[in-house]
Structures are given as C-alpha cells and as structure tokens.
Amino acid sequence: MSDDVARFTAMYDTCRQRVWAYVVSRAGRQVADDVVSETFIVAWRRVDEVPHPPLPWLLGVARNILRDTVRAELRRSSLAAELREWTEAAAPAETDIAEEVTDRMAMRRALASMKEDDREVLILAAWQGLSPREAAQVVGCTTTAMRVRLHRARRRLAAALEDTSKAAGAQRQARPVAARVTTPAARPTAHPVTTGGRIPGEEAA
C-alpha cells in the first residue's frame, strides 16, 4: 500500500463520520452522503495538500460543496425535515421521564430556533470539538472574528434555552388544569323512584 493510500484511508476512517455529522447539521440527511462522497473525492485528488489535522480542511471542503453544488431550496427543505425529526416529540405524559432526555430535547429545540450562522459555529465548536482557530479555517474568517461569533452565538443559545425552558414549564403547569377540565364530573345521585306519589316504604298519612 502506497503512502498516499495509507494516509487517505486513515483520514477517511478517522474523519468520515464527523464530516457526515457536520453536513447533516447544515443540510439534512438527504444530501449528506453525496456531499461527503464528493468531499473525500476532493481529498483524494489533493491528498498531498491536506494539512494535519485534516478535519478542519475537510469541513471547509464540505462547506464549499454545500454552498456551490446544492440548491438552496433543497438544503432548506432537507434541513427543515431534519430539524423536525430532532424536535418533534410527544410531550411527556409522566413526571418520571428522564431529565437527561428532557434537557437534550430542550437543547435541540433551542438550537433549531437559531439562525444558521450561529448554529454552524456552535456545531463546529461544541459538536465537532474544533478550536476557534480551526473553526475559523472552516468558515473562512480570522480567529478573532470566530471568537466573537462564538461568544455571541453562545449568548443567543442561552437565551433560546431560557425561552424553551419557560415554554416547557408553562406546558407542565397547564397539563393538570386541562386534566381537571376534561375529567367527567361525578354523576349526581338519582332521586328515589316514587310510587303513587310516595317514597317506597313510607306509610300513608
């Protein structure tokens, strides 16, 4: 096996899943496989130019492919479907639902409500684990600009999480009230049946 093949194979095995996750977060699963395949085709053709570590470079290539070759309308519809899959879930019916699940759903709802630019830098930093310098390489800005963008995105995420938590709390408070309203009222006790104008067993005056 040549050095280029060995290097490419190692790069593919190490980074493929993370590149796929990044594309899904930007455009949804419908286009992820095609974009990832094209990204690694570019990487193979330019294997001598790929820096170390390769992930920021690969994410930058995937980002350019998304921008240049995927129709905007398809991206929006595909991403909308993906976000619906993330955020649509039945409201918990019992109070013993795992708190971890609730927190994860709140995070996804908050992330889905944010602008794409904010969502991208948070995904690069938090989900992909890139440093501000590496994330800046992906999006094509300076490290300083990335730090500013990341700081602002984190503040907006915190605000979105607070709004999501308030909405969830309001829903939890409203559920018992709704249950009381929809519970059938107890039937009134029926009046004893009378015979000849008298209650059975009552002696005539």
Side-chain angles (χ1 to χ4, degrees):
M1 182 182 294
S2 69
D3 291 342
D4 286 349
V5 172
R7 183 183 180 196
F8 176 82
T9 301
M11 177 173 56
Y12 183 88
D13 291 343
T14 302
C15 299
R16 192 262 176 199
Q17 190 60 35
R18 294 180 70 179
V19 174
W20 186 88
Y22 169 74
V23 177
V24 168
S25 73
R26 295 294 311 280
R29 301 185 190 196
Q30 295 179 13
V31 300
D33 289 341
D34 289 342
V35 172
V36 171
S37 295
E38 198 161 340
T39 297
F40 280 97
I41 288 173
V42 173
W44 170 247
R45 291 171 178 168
R46 301 170 60 185
V47 66
D48 292 335
E49 303 175 27
V50 179
H52 184 79
L55 183 62
W57 187 90
L58 290 168
L59 295 180
V61 172
R63 187 174 189 265
N64 289 335
I65 292 171
L66 277 172
R67 183 189 62 197
D68 296 339
T69 67
V70 180
R71 290 184 301 128
E73 183 178 351
L74 176 60
R75 285 183 57 194
R76 283 194 296 269
S77 62
S78 180
L79 181 57
E82 187 71 22
L83 292 177
R84 282 196 300 272
E85 183 176 327
W86 286 2
T87 59
E88 284 181 356
E94 303 293 339
T95 56
D96 61 354
I97 296 296
E99 185 175 341
E100 181 181 351
V101 174
T102 303
D103 290 345
R104 186 164 61 246
M105 290 305 302
M107 175 65 74
R108 288 177 172 177
R109 289 191 179 97
L111 195 63
S113 71
M114 301 180 69
K115 293 181 179 180
E116 183 177 353
D117 288 348
D118 287 337
R119 188 164 57 239
E120 180 184 21
V121 297
L122 289 169
I123 288 169
L124 289 172
W127 291 6
Q128 296 290 346
L130 300 188
S131 68
R133 181 180 61 81
E134 292 172 332
Q137 293 175 16
V138 175
V139 303
C141 68
T142 65
T143 301
T144 300
M146 174 54 65
R147 291 183 189 277
V148 172
R149 289 181 58 180
L150 186 56
H151 175 70
R152 291 174 177 171
R154 283 171 173 161
R155 289 178 57 185
R156 291 172 183 139
L157 177 61
L161 275 170
E162 185 176 356
D163 291 342
T164 300
S165 298
K166 288 179 180 178
Q171 289 178 352
R172 285 194 296 269
Q173 291 176 0
R175 267 197 297 274
V177 175
R180 288 196 298 270
V181 171
T182 57
T183 301
R187 293 182 179 178
T189 303
H191 192 280
V193 178
T194 59
T195 304
R198 299 193 308 274
I199 299 176
E202 178 180 326
E203 297 182 356

